[in-house]
Amino acid sequence: MTTSEKLRDPNLSEEEEDAIIGAFVRRYENERLRERWQVKLKKEHGVVRKEIITTTKPAKIRRLVLGLITVAASLLLLFIFWPSLQQQNGQELLAVYVADISLDATRSTNPDPADSLRRVQFSAFEAADYALAQSSGEILLQLPEATLEDRFHLALIQLKGGQIDAAKTSLQALIDEDTLYRAEAQFHLGLALLLEGDKTTSLDKLRQIQASDGRELYEKAQTLLRQKWE
Amino acid sequence: MLALPKPLSSNQLKVTPKPKTERNFGLSESSFQEMVSATKDGDHRFFERAFHAHFEDCIAYLRRKDQAEQSEAYDAVMEALLRFRDLLVAGKIRYGNLRYLLTLMARQELRRQRKRQGRFTTLPDLGLDLVNEAVELSEEDFSLLSRAFNSLGEECRELLRGFYYGKRTVKEIAKEAGRKAPAVRKQKSRCIATLRRYFYQTS
């Protein structure tokens, strides 16, 4: 009997039904996850699946080589002049990065106190009511269900709301405890220090971010390091 | 729990053992537990944060060790990571040496890929008892079931996702929803009956 025929059979056993539906749901969700991961890997880590290039005709190869030489020459010129092009006012870039700070929305619809507080916090943040977002976050951290992510979110809210000292303390704790948020905390601590005007310490923190911490984070840190700071 | 092939001891290799967090993708044991819990709840962000940073390293390893092309290494690592997630939620992975396990699974996937393509491979069968479905769905059945699944209400999809993909029991799902287990069990049966009905209608 095919799977299709089995699903049409009113006498299908619960065990067999479970096996079929389970296999389907797992495959369905894995396909969704695979697509999501392909996008995330490309965006955040620059990892893509590269197809093998097969044969090309001689004339195409000549055109390809000529094209490559042109691109290489342009890149060489750009590389020579790139540093001066890149050195714009760092304050403008800092403002952009701070404006871009966002929270990951909670997916849960649970009625429990922790998730209710997270929803309040997220809505307040989106409405730029950082005082309410911060107080929700502080209450949330008193609950046993509070997570590392909640601590990181509170730090972001403090930073965005201009509570720089509080943000620095929260972020430093996430770094010192070597948590999953260490690298992101390091980056945002760098932003906090720049906002305070402590350029030297900030750039030192940003230099500690490695490519293995995530390509997007690393590139943002590198971009800040290349800026002109008065 | 998975029975791994025994890695060589440090005496045999004459190397200094790596610190525990390094063997576990930078995770402490408590972070690992937090990640498992979040993954079972359908929140994959912790998992992604922990493992995606090492995706490229894993590809490089397969290319070096097994002379894999980039595309086949990418596919093998992707597949291994999906299966790793399945094992994690099924409670079949313990904190200890996650890096070693994932690399083995990636090599195993590469071997499976090459065999499926009918290519000769000298890659050993590493004997890992990976998650293999007892039921193989044809492309047509999968497509029809997908359409039927998408027609279900969000509550039904969440329930079936939590039960079959998150490997949560009816009792756990009921407790979280503040409901009684028999009621959730009944709802699950109704959702499956509806899914099957939509499947007849679309096929």
Side-chain angles (χ1 to χ4, degrees), chain B residues 121-146:
Chain B
T121 176
T122 56
L123 269 169
D125 182 349
L126 298 162
L128 286 177
D129 176 26
L130 300 178
V131 172
N132 278 316
E133 294 288 356
V135 173
E136 273 246 26
L137 294 165
S138 69
E139 285 309 312
E140 195 188 343
D141 284 343
F142 178 72
S143 170
L144 292 170
L145 274 167
S146 299

Side-chain angles (χ1 to χ4, degrees), chain A residues 82-229:
Chain A
W82 188 248
S84 54
L85 285 171
Q86 272 289 284
Q87 283 197 338
Q88 52 200 41
N89 190 339
Q91 293 297 336
E92 291 165 2
L93 186 62
L94 174 63
V96 167
Y97 282 163
V98 172
D100 279 348
I101 290 172
S102 61
L103 304 185
D104 288 331
T106 178
R107 286 177 44 176
S108 172
T109 52
N110 284 336
D112 71 56
D115 277 321
S116 301
L117 277 167
R118 287 183 189 111
R119 282 193 290 278
V120 167
Q121 185 188 56
F122 182 76
S123 303
F125 183 88
E126 291 289 288
D129 186 349
Y130 302 119
L132 176 58
Q134 182 166 336
S135 56
S136 307
E138 283 161 358
I139 297 167
L140 179 56
L141 289 199
Q142 306 302 316
L143 300 178
E145 296 90 352
T147 63
L148 275 176
E149 186 178 47
D150 293 328
R151 287 173 57 189
F152 180 61
H153 278 177
L154 179 61
L156 294 183
I157 291 163
Q158 287 162 339
L159 183 59
K160 194 98 179 207
Q163 306 295 317
I164 307 298
D165 282 339
K168 278 165 51 186
T169 306
S170 304
L171 292 165
Q172 192 62 57
L174 288 166
I175 296 165
D176 291 341
E177 291 165 38
D178 199 19
T179 65
L180 216 50
Y181 290 90
R182 181 195 51 76
E184 292 191 20
Q186 189 89 358
F187 175 78
H188 288 93
L189 181 59
L191 295 187
L193 289 161
L194 279 172
L195 284 171
E196 265 192 341
D198 188 352
K199 186 194 81 177
T200 312
T201 317
S202 165
L203 299 185
D204 188 50
K205 298 286 177 195
L206 292 171
R207 267 184 214 105
Q208 290 172 37
I209 294 170
Q210 312 282 322
S212 55
D213 289 325
R215 190 165 291 242
E216 193 181 342
L217 201 64
Y218 175 71
E219 280 174 7
K220 279 167 107 168
Q222 289 298 304
T223 308
L224 277 170
L225 286 164
R226 283 194 294 267
Q227 300 312 301
K228 219 190 288 187
W229 297 99

